[in-house]
Amino acid sequence: MAEETGEPASFDLLLPALRPVRAGNGFEEALERILQVIRLGLVPGGGRLPAERELAALLGISRVTLREVLKVLQDEGLTESRRGRYGGTFVRPRTDPADGGELRRRMAETDIEDLLLFREVLESGAAGLCASRGLDDEGADRLRTALAATHEAPLPHYRRLDTLLHLTLAELSGSPSLAARYATVRAGVNELLDCIPLLVRNLEHSQQQHTALVEAVLARDEETARAVAREHCAGTAALLRGFLA
């Protein structure tokens, strides 16, 4: 393990955590991986992460994506960037033992894996039902309108309008029971999401997935609709696990 001298952490220690991410959620999963490395102490306070070129190769992402991930970590006060011959990205010492306390308190009251898995089942199920059954003109207009609202949403209102889009999809599935259960599950997910920052890159990626999801539903492409919904849920799960670990 790297000491406070600033020597980069041993690759042998980092390899199990910094495995290549999947293409669909590269930003979110890369952020999750590095957060795990930091939270687990594999790179201690004062230690240096591998160089950008090496870190990007380990994670299987572009250096552009990696820099966006590193910027989030720096904005959250978890790392700092230093220039010069001995520069790089350094993990900041944790001075507040209660860091993330609100999220951990909520997590103690929630079975996160069960919640996230159930959400994925409900969302992919709703997407599949909407696509297989098809939507009438009114339903299609409602879905397009909900999607457009998320594209135009100011940052403080994004999560509310994002929730409305997913609730609309659940309601259009034709199953009142599914819609009711999804509303309950989504409330639990939102409580956790409220404890982590809104990340612009993640929101941009989410919007791409939202668009692909709506397009698949309107095209009555059930397989794609289910796949996009699952991938979208996996991105959110990766962020929550990353900030929780």
Side-chain angles (χ1 to χ4, degrees), residues 58-188:
L58 285 171
L59 292 166
I61 58 175
S62 70
R63 292 180 71 173
V64 171
T65 297
L66 176 62
R67 285 169 185 155
E68 292 175 333
V69 169
L70 294 178
K71 184 179 185 302
V72 169
L73 296 173
Q74 184 168 328
D75 290 346
E76 291 303 304
L78 297 172
T79 64
E80 60 181 354
S81 179
R82 301 177 193 170
R83 296 182 178 180
R85 181 179 178 184
Y86 299 104
T89 300
F90 291 79
V91 175
R92 298 186 62 183
R94 295 181 64 179
T95 56
D96 181 6
D99 178 54
E102 176 62 14
L103 181 56
R104 283 196 293 274
R105 182 189 67 77
R106 294 189 183 187
M107 290 308 306
E109 301 170 355
T110 306
D111 184 339
I112 183 172
E113 294 302 329
D114 180 62
L115 179 70
L116 296 175
L117 180 60
F118 195 31
R119 180 207 178 188
E120 181 180 319
V121 169
L122 292 176
E123 292 223 15
S124 61
L129 285 171
C130 286
S132 64
R133 296 173 66 250
L135 301 179
D136 59 20
D137 289 344
E138 180 184 359
D141 285 343
R142 283 185 61 195
L143 193 58
R144 290 191 187 99
T145 299
L147 175 64
T150 62
H151 283 302
E152 300 164 2
L155 199 59
H157 301 292
Y158 180 83
R159 192 155 286 153
R160 176 175 59 83
L161 294 172
D162 171 47
T163 299
L164 179 60
L165 170 62
H166 289 280
L167 287 173
T168 299
L169 192 68
E171 290 170 6
L172 292 174
S173 71
S175 170
S177 296
L178 187 156
R181 295 304 298 271
Y182 180 74
T184 300
V185 168
R186 182 64 192 224

Side-chain angles (χ1 to χ4, degrees), residues 31-54:
L31 180 60
E32 177 191 16
R33 302 277 199 277
I34 300 178
L35 279 166
Q36 286 177 338
V37 164
I38 293 172
R39 301 297 194 194
L40 291 171
L42 297 179
V43 180
R48 178 156 49 104
L49 292 173
E52 282 187 9
R53 175 176 56 80
E54 298 163 336

Side-chain angles (χ1 to χ4, degrees), residues 27-32 35 72 103 112 116 159 193 196-199 201-203 206 233-245:
F27 170 81
E28 291 85 354
E29 291 191 16
L31 180 60
E32 177 191 16
L35 279 166
V72 169
L103 181 56
I112 183 172
L116 296 175
R159 192 155 286 153
L193 289 173
I196 68 175
L198 282 168
L199 308 177
R201 170 60 189 273
N202 169 249
L203 299 188
S206 290
C233 291
T236 302
L239 282 182
L240 287 172
R241 292 188 187 105
F243 278 97
L244 167 69

